[in-house]
Amino acid sequence: MSDPKTPAVDTRSDTPGVIVTRHAGYVFFQPDWGGPEMQIADHWISTRPAVVRNARAAQAARQER
C-alpha cells in the first residue's frame, strides 16, 4: 500500500497540488492540474490546511470563468 500524498501549495504561484516525495531539502510536487512533477525548494511549499484550501478555491474559481 502506498503512502497518501500530502496536500500542499507552491507559494510562488499559489499552485495547489500534492507532495510526492521529499529529498535533501527539496520537494517533488505534483500540481492538481496534472502538469509535470516539479522539484521545488522546500521553503516554497506550504502544507497549512488554510493555505491549501484557499489555493484550491481560487483555482476552482479561475476554472469556472
Side-chain angles (χ1 to χ4, degrees):
M1 187 163 97
S2 63
D3 293 328
K5 295 179 180 175
T6 304
V9 174
D10 177 354
T11 59
R12 300 172 301 168
S13 61
D14 246 8
T15 302
V18 294
I19 295 173
V20 178
T21 59
R22 292 179 184 263
H23 180 71
Y26 288 92
V27 169
F28 292 88
F29 178 80
Q30 177 71 49
D32 282 350
W33 50 266
E37 187 177 297
M38 299 179 277
Q39 181 178 345
I40 301 171
D42 192 40
H43 66 273
W44 289 115
I45 298 294
S46 175
T47 58
R48 291 180 35 218
V51 174
V52 173
R53 184 175 49 250
N54 292 343
R56 287 188 169 155
Q59 182 185 37
R62 284 190 299 269
Q63 289 177 346
E64 288 179 4
R65 290 188 220 165

